[in-house]
Amino acid sequence: MSSKEGSGGFRKRKHDNFAHGQRKDEKDNVNSSSSLMVSFKSFQLELDTRHDKYERLVKLSRDITIESKRTIFLLHRITSDPNGEEILNESEAKLEAVRQKIKQVAQELIGEDMYQFHRAISPGLQEYVEAVSFQYFIKTRSLISVKEINKQLIFTMEDKEEETNTPSSNPYDKQLCTWSLKVTPVDYLLGVADLTGELMRMCINSVGNGDIDTPFELSQFLRQIYDGFSYIGNTGPYEVSKKLYTLKQSLAKVENACYTLKVRGSEIPKHMLADVFSTKAEMIDREEGLS
Amino acid sequence: MSVSEMFITLQGVLTADQDIREEIRKVVQTLEQTAREILTLLQGVHQGAGFQDIPKKCLKAREHFGAVKTQLASLKTKFPADQYYRFHEHWRFVLQRLVFLAAFVVYLETETLVTREAVTEILGIEADRERGFHLDIEDYLSGILTLASELSRLAVNSVTAGDYSRPLRISTFINELDSGFRLLNLKNDSLRKRYDGLKYDVKKIEEVVYDLSIRGLSKEAASDVGGEK
């Protein structure tokens, strides 16, 4: 007899027995105003409130991710566009919009333990770090620091009502009437690790545009970041070590590009450089044709 | 600030983090040890002879909870108070287990469900987040679900030991618990998975009650209970 039949049989047998009747009484007896039920009603409220907040944060985080991605795509156009200044201004406006979203996140987290909802917002923050650091690199050719990022994420209180009834977990926030969202070191690291992928793309793009200097700058910068990550190595959390592998690949690509430029750059006309990096096989043929 | 300097700073932060985690792990290990001792004590109730001196066992267990209090107090000092959820994973499991043990003791003593506030009192921690090291609601509920499966086991064993009235009382209790949990809207997380196991505990106890009633043993028990009242 299969277990399904068994339970079915069990149920059938139970139809006309005392236990079943008694059970029914018990079900009715579960007094909706008993202390247990009252406390479970309050649990229901508490859990629902928490889940709702979590979902709102996930939604915000996804918006932040999408907007940051778009900013990155926009910044990639700089390599081929003479109007670099214009694009930078546009990206600044976009990032400001992202920061407005982050402000909403910070508002949701007033008086909460940020780490309780960290999993909801972490992907968005990483993407934001990536976008901001990419823009910063394009402007200054250096790496933005965590401090710098967090400086931009301090928001001033707009409606004064809120400060009276929300006990902020950070006492100094309360004094300044501002609240801020802190990017954690791990979020920052993961964002920077993603940044290297974008830099690699930027390198290949600039080669395609006949820009000979940028790849060398980029390879130097990437090497510094890679050394930094190697220095951290296994002391960081698991996700960081996972990114290290991809980072290595990006670095190798950029270094190879620089190598090719160095060795053959003098031999190949600039307008053909793009093809050099697009297909290896073709490159060999072409070279034979050239020589 | 150069790239390498930045990474050196970050490395310092990460190392400090790891030290905190190491400290927490040490305390959690001692907590787990104490929890195992309490569990061993309470497991005695499942043996035929164990039913006689339940109050004594509960008293002993409560003494052990004194050790738990001091261990939890030392855990509090290992990390910044406002970063509870950052390290939550480290003690989550053991805290759920302690909730179960406290709930089990309280059930054996009074046959009622321990409240969240009572648990925090037994463990010497806070009830709400604002005040420091507290008991998360999901951990409390997980502990209670463990209690349900333990009680379904107790129902079976109490029949073996010849106590026919206890399963009926457990059945009432678990049914009420079940209705309580059905009020909650759970997400697809570990708590939900554990709640899904509750119906099997309910079913198990119903089978025990059924077996008793079909043999007329529950009437006996019921009249006993009636007599006691």
Side-chain angles (χ1 to χ4, degrees):
Chain A
M1 188 161 91
S2 78
S3 62
K4 210 168 147 185
E5 272 179 328
S7 63
F10 179 62
R11 216 173 303 147
K12 245 182 276 170
R13 267 183 304 160
K14 250 186 5 186
H15 254 299
D16 44 6
N17 68 43
F18 167 76
H20 182 60
Q22 191 201 31
R23 202 182 114 241
K24 233 166 109 173
D25 290 346
E26 279 170 0
K27 282 271 186 273
D28 299 338
N29 277 346
V30 172
N31 195 338
S32 60
S33 61
S34 73
S35 65
L36 186 142
M37 292 308 265
V38 169
S39 58
F40 266 86
K41 280 206 178 81
S42 73
F43 297 157
Q44 178 194 46
L45 198 67
E46 195 173 331
L47 280 173
D48 284 352
T49 316
R50 180 187 290 191
H51 291 164
D52 288 350
K53 189 182 271 285
Y54 191 87
E55 289 308 321
R56 281 198 302 274
L57 286 168
V58 167
K59 202 158 174 286
L60 281 170
S61 167
R62 282 180 45 183
D63 290 347
I64 293 170
T65 305
I66 291 165
E67 282 305 312
S68 304
K69 263 261 175 282
R70 285 184 184 152
T71 313
I72 290 167
F73 273 106
L74 173 77
L75 287 166
H76 269 303
R77 274 179 236 140
I78 277 192
T79 45
S80 57
D81 202 312
N83 301 338
E85 210 46 50
E86 230 169 82
I87 286 183
L88 270 179
N89 290 337
E90 202 183 327
S91 74
E92 190 49 50
K94 266 188 182 291
L95 283 177
E96 198 44 55
V98 176
R99 279 195 275 276
Q100 284 306 309
K101 288 263 181 226
I102 294 179
K103 182 177 172 175
Q104 287 178 30
V105 171
Q107 272 169 321
E108 286 280 4
L109 291 176
I110 289 175
E112 297 281 358
D113 185 337
M114 175 191 155
Y115 291 99
Q116 188 177 355
F117 300 99
H118 190 235
R119 281 191 44 205
I121 56 173
S122 179
L125 286 181
Q126 286 172 35
E127 205 66 44
Y128 171 74
V129 168
E130 195 183 336
V132 156
S133 55
F134 192 37
Q135 189 206 36
Y136 191 86
F137 175 80
I138 288 170
K139 278 185 187 166
T140 66
R141 301 282 160 187
S142 60
L143 182 63
I144 193 168
S145 67
V146 190
K147 265 198 198 123
E148 201 81 36
I149 291 178
N150 283 334
K151 229 183 267 174
Q152 295 175 318
L153 296 183
I154 296 171
F155 308 102
T156 44
M157 198 73 84
E158 274 175 4
D159 34 357
K160 293 273 189 229
E161 290 162 42
E162 281 200 301
E163 63 183 295
T164 48
N165 55 18
T166 50
S168 169
S169 51
N170 306 336
Y172 58 84
D173 278 1
K174 236 163 67 176
Q175 289 162 6
L176 295 169
C177 289
T178 61
W179 69 95
S180 64
L181 192 76
K182 285 216 176 346
V183 173
T184 65
V186 175
D187 282 340
Y188 171 78
L189 276 173
L190 294 173
V192 170
D194 289 337
L195 166 74
T196 56
E198 298 305 327
L199 294 177
M200 184 266 291
R201 283 172 63 191
M202 189 179 168
C203 166
I204 304 298
N205 281 341
S206 56
V207 171
N209 288 311
D211 182 350
I212 302 292
D213 304 326
T214 310
F216 290 100
E217 271 177 23
L218 279 166
S219 81
Q220 212 181 354
F221 184 65
L222 274 178
R223 221 170 282 142
Q224 284 177 343
I225 291 183
Y226 178 75
D227 291 347
F229 271 97
S230 308
Y231 178 72
I232 284 177
N234 283 335
T235 48
Y238 163 73
E239 298 101 323
V240 175
S241 357
K242 224 170 42 177
K243 298 249 179 190
L244 202 55
Y245 176 71
T246 324
L247 180 54
K248 213 171 181 167
Q249 281 184 316
S250 300
L251 180 65
K253 273 183 192 160
V254 172
E255 283 178 339
N256 282 329
C258 289
Y259 162 84
T260 316
L261 279 176
K262 192 87 192 154
V263 173
R264 311 213 175 90
S266 48
E267 302 167 16
I268 307 172
K270 270 188 188 172
H271 66 271
M272 283 179 157
L273 276 171
D275 302 332
V276 172
F277 293 101
S278 54
T279 49
K280 284 268 179 210
E282 255 182 49
M283 189 176 78
I284 294 162
D285 296 345
R286 207 179 295 270
E287 275 186 358
E288 280 170 357
L290 278 171
S291 52
Chain B
M1 201 168 165
S2 77
V3 174
S4 64
E5 276 171 345
M6 256 184 243
F7 274 94
I8 287 168
T9 319
L10 281 168
Q11 213 271 334
V13 172
L14 290 174
T15 311
D17 224 36
Q18 273 197 318
D19 292 346
I20 292 178
R21 285 176 199 281
E22 207 47 55
E23 288 289 307
I24 289 174
R25 248 176 246 138
K26 275 182 203 155
V27 183
V28 167
Q29 261 172 2
T30 58
L31 269 171
E32 278 170 348
Q33 180 59 38
T34 318
R36 274 196 295 272
E37 281 163 15
I38 299 174
L39 185 64
T40 315
L41 256 176
L42 293 175
Q43 289 296 348
V45 299
H46 290 290
Q47 281 155 7
F51 284 99
Q52 281 93 45
D53 52 3
I54 284 180
K56 209 186 283 176
K57 287 196 172 66
C58 290
L59 273 179
K60 262 196 192 147
R62 275 185 183 272
E63 279 167 28
H64 279 283
F65 273 110
V68 170
K69 269 186 183 176
T70 49
Q71 282 157 5
L72 278 170
S74 87
L75 180 60
K76 277 177 218 177
T77 61
K78 302 291 181 219
F79 65 96
D82 61 349
Q83 300 190 353
Y84 179 93
Y85 283 100
R86 187 171 177 189
F87 305 107
H88 189 192
E89 288 305 314
H90 292 295
W91 58 73
R92 194 167 198 159
F93 178 78
V94 76
L95 201 56
Q96 287 175 5
R97 171 139 291 207
L98 288 167
V99 169
F100 151 64
L101 292 169
F104 197 27
V105 169
V106 170
Y107 180 82
L108 290 172
E109 285 169 345
T110 64
E111 307 218 334
T112 55
L113 177 71
V114 70
T115 61
R116 199 162 139 205
E117 291 72 25
V119 176
T120 53
E121 211 157 296
I122 292 171
L123 302 178
I125 55 181
E126 298 295 341
D128 50 8
R129 196 178 61 79
E130 274 81 28
R131 312 245 299 273
F133 195 98
H134 69 288
L135 172 61
D136 187 273
I137 182 167
E138 293 186 28
D139 293 341
Y140 167 75
L141 292 170
S142 283
I144 299 303
L145 286 169
T146 315
L147 174 71
S149 43
E150 188 67 16
L151 287 181
S152 73
R153 204 185 134 210
L154 185 66
V156 172
N157 290 331
S158 55
V159 172
T160 316
D163 181 353
Y164 297 142
S165 62
R166 188 179 282 274
L168 301 182
R169 297 198 303 274
I170 290 180
S171 168
T172 314
F173 178 78
I174 296 266
N175 269 319
E176 192 172 7
L177 210 55
D178 187 43
S179 327
F181 270 98
R182 249 179 288 154
L183 286 178
L184 308 177
N185 311 309
L186 297 171
K187 281 208 314 189
N188 256 333
D189 53 9
S190 64
L191 185 61
R192 166 69 195 272
K193 282 199 187 80
R194 311 216 21 205
Y195 162 71
D196 286 342
L198 182 62
K199 57 176 180 286
Y200 299 110
D201 301 326
V202 173
K203 184 165 169 271
K204 181 81 211 163
I205 292 179
E206 278 175 1
E207 280 174 27
V208 172
V209 171
Y210 165 77
D211 281 337
L212 289 177
S213 63
I214 202 170
R215 293 168 180 77
L217 294 169
S218 65
K219 284 206 181 83
E220 223 176 281
S223 64
D224 280 358
V225 176
E228 279 168 28
K229 281 177 191 165

